[in-house]
Amino acid sequence: MESGSVTTPFGRRPMTFGMLASQAVARKIEPGRSIDKWKLYRALCEARPLLGITDRALSILNALLSFYPKGELCEDNGLVVFPSNAQLSLRAHGMAEQTIRRHLAALIEAGLLIRKDSPNGKRYARREQGGEIGEAFGFSLAPLLARADEVERLAAEVAAERLQLQRLKERLTLCRRDIAKLIEMAVEEGAPGDWSGYHLHFRSAVEQLPRSPSATEAAAALDELELLREEIINQLEMQVKAQNQSGNAQHSERHIQNSNPHSITELEPSFGTKQGATADNRSEGWAEPMGRTATQEGRGGPVPAESSASTASGGLKSFPLGLVLQACPEIGAYGPQGSVGTWRDLMAAAVVVRSMLGVSPSAYEQACEVMGPETAATVMACVLERAGHINSAGGYLRDLTRRAERGEFAIGPMLMALARANSPIRGKTG
């Protein structure tokens, strides 16, 4: 400071130990020390959380720095600025004088300014005969120059912590995405495991995280979620290994069959013999009851599909192909030759639609086992018609399969509703 002595505030303002400490620090400026005032101001803005000052107080400090005539703070040029509150208000975008006084007090309390009051409390400068400023009364910027190194260090700490928090949030987002999709895949594929328990654990960990977490809170949540992800991956990998170890020639044979684009038994290996035995009958418009023999039904031959609906292996009825195509016309475009003329064509188209809608092979195979291949293909045709209203085709098919196992699902109402919607004449069923 210029005078090298302690200054006390004017009027009723009390002297404090903080003011005394700030003045002691300001007297320790190294000779010839200077720093760019706006570079220092940017560091102050960065270090604001650690300095305990508000953004409004920084606006006042910005205005004070604008009154300093040089670009660099230097003791040789003087460090006292002396604007009036009215001038400060103009450069602080019209801030009220009462608010200005409050923020000036906050800057002084934070040790960033020193009040150098005149005998009458006014701010002014006394000039020498040559026009140079001899002594000025106002606000001394000496603490800024004295604490420049400290401010830059604090700014670097805040920047490093912000970068660390950003990286933690990125890792947290990736971990959350991995867990959500792994659980969704496991449920969709019907993998054994307590997936509802995993999901509850996942939601609990996410909901406990604050909206704007600190680096410590984000790191703790990340550790917990990474452990959960590792546990889920380990369980899924164990199931994959178990499936690989139980593989046999039948699985390889089925894989070879899948390479045939005209195969209707891609996902129904257990029905392979029946499908082959009745392929000719189906192509002629006949359907053999699946899961029960003709003798058990008290009949000696196949039942015409167009004259009477046949019962599938799960107790579901397979309706006439003409009715299915009237109710679900969109399935025709996915037939082997761009059209569907037989049950074989319909089941081949259903395999294509299954893949297109993201239905897993296991979900469709289970539907074929429970409902029968014709009914499962019919269901896929219905799902295709309503694809825009179904969030997860695979989940929807699994739900229908579970209901069919319990005897709570019938394809008839679904098919008739679509037939009425797509028929040019209301009530026509084909």
Side-chain angles (χ1 to χ4, degrees):
M1 295 178 63
E2 287 86 345
S3 63
S5 61
V6 173
T7 61
T8 56
F10 171 79
R12 296 181 180 179
R13 299 190 190 100
M15 184 66 179
T16 65
F17 277 105
M19 294 179 183
L20 192 62
S22 297
Q23 294 180 31
V25 170
R27 288 195 295 268
K28 297 179 180 179
I29 298 175
E30 298 177 3
R33 176 71 189 275
S34 65
I35 188 170
D36 184 278
K37 63 180 182 180
W38 297 122
K39 179 182 178 182
L40 179 59
Y41 178 75
R42 287 191 294 271
L44 283 166
C45 293
E46 190 77 64
R48 181 178 65 83
L50 299 182
L51 292 171
I53 54 177
T54 64
D55 53 348
R56 301 294 297 279
L58 283 174
S59 297
I60 296 299
L61 184 58
N62 180 284
L64 285 173
L65 288 172
S66 69
F67 284 102
Y68 190 77
K70 303 295 183 178
E72 292 192 349
L73 295 178
C74 179
E75 198 169 19
D76 295 338
N77 299 326
L79 293 171
V80 177
V81 291
F82 40 90
S84 65
N85 284 344
Q87 291 173 319
L88 274 176
S89 178
L90 289 175
R91 297 202 185 183
H93 309 289
M95 188 180 296
E97 290 190 15
Q98 184 177 1
T99 306
I100 289 174
R101 286 193 292 269
R102 186 172 68 252
H103 291 308
L104 284 171
L107 290 169
I108 293 170
E109 185 178 355
L112 299 176
L113 289 179
I114 293 177
R115 188 188 299 272
K116 186 180 178 182
D117 287 342
S118 65
N120 61 1
K122 300 295 183 179
R123 301 170 199 157
Y124 60 89
R126 182 179 296 111
R127 298 183 180 274
E128 303 294 342
Q129 291 183 352
E132 298 86 0
I133 295 177
E135 189 171 10
F137 299 96
F139 297 102
S140 174
L141 304 175
L144 294 178
L145 184 59
R147 299 178 61 185
D149 293 339
E150 176 192 357
V151 170
E152 291 180 345
R153 177 178 56 80
L154 293 176
E157 289 180 6
V158 172
E161 184 176 355
R162 185 176 63 249
L163 181 60
Q164 180 189 12
L165 180 59
Q166 180 182 354
R167 291 175 176 173
L168 284 172
K169 286 182 177 179
E170 289 175 352
R171 292 174 58 192
L172 197 58
T173 299
L174 292 175
C175 190
R176 288 174 59 178
R177 185 182 71 189
D178 293 344
I179 293 174
K181 288 188 176 292
L182 288 172
I183 293 176
E184 181 182 3
M185 179 201 70
V187 173
E188 182 72 20
E189 296 290 339
D194 184 17
W195 302 112
S196 60
Y198 284 130
H199 184 262
L200 289 175
H201 184 184
F202 170 58
R203 293 310 310 168
S204 175
V206 171
E207 290 170 0
Q208 290 177 4
L209 194 63
R211 186 176 184 87
S212 298
S214 64
T216 303
E217 292 169 333
L222 180 61
D223 289 341
E224 182 178 1
L225 290 178
E226 283 183 338
L227 288 175
L228 179 60
R229 179 176 62 182
E230 184 177 356
E231 184 177 350
I232 292 173
I233 291 175
N234 287 340
Q235 182 164 349
L236 292 174
E237 287 180 347
M238 289 173 59
Q239 294 177 20
V240 171
K241 291 178 181 178
Q243 290 177 0
N244 291 338
Q245 291 174 358
S246 62
N248 51 36
Q250 181 180 0
H251 295 128
S252 300
E253 180 65 21
R254 183 175 65 182
H255 178 72
I256 295 174
Q257 291 175 354
N258 291 350
S259 64
N260 181 3
H262 301 291
S263 173
I264 63 172
T265 59
E266 177 186 2
L267 302 176
E268 313 88 50
S270 58
F271 298 125
T273 304
K274 293 182 180 180
Q275 294 293 108
T278 61
D280 294 338
N281 290 338
R282 290 198 184 96
S283 65
E284 295 296 327
W286 296 78
E288 177 182 343
M290 303 299 295
R292 292 186 292 179
T293 63
T295 305
Q296 289 172 319
E297 288 293 301
R299 293 188 287 269
V303 181
E306 297 293 331
S307 61
S308 174
S310 60
T311 304
S313 61
L316 298 180
K317 291 183 177 180
S318 176
F319 286 80
L321 180 61
L323 173 60
V324 175
L325 295 178
Q326 178 188 323
C328 310
E330 291 187 16
I331 193 70
Y334 299 92
Q337 302 298 328
S339 62
V340 172
T342 65
W343 280 106
R344 175 185 290 272
D345 294 341
L346 179 66
M347 287 184 279
V351 171
V352 177
V353 170
R354 185 275 302 166
S355 177
M356 182 187 72
L357 295 180
V359 177
S360 64
S362 62
Y364 187 62
E365 182 175 359
Q366 186 178 11
C368 290
E369 292 174 355
V370 174
M371 303 178 186
E374 294 99 339
T375 304
T378 303
V379 170
M380 286 307 306
C382 294
V383 170
L384 177 63
E385 290 292 323
R386 300 286 295 171
H389 304 277
I390 299 175
N391 292 331
S392 172
Y396 184 70
L397 182 61
R398 287 190 183 277
D399 181 66
L400 294 183
T401 303
R402 287 192 290 268
R403 289 168 56 190
E405 285 181 318
R406 299 192 299 265
E408 299 174 356
F409 170 67
I411 186 73
M414 178 190 299
L415 200 60
M416 294 303 178
L418 288 173
R420 286 193 295 271
N422 293 324
S423 175
I425 303 176
R426 180 173 293 276
K428 183 178 179 181
T429 58

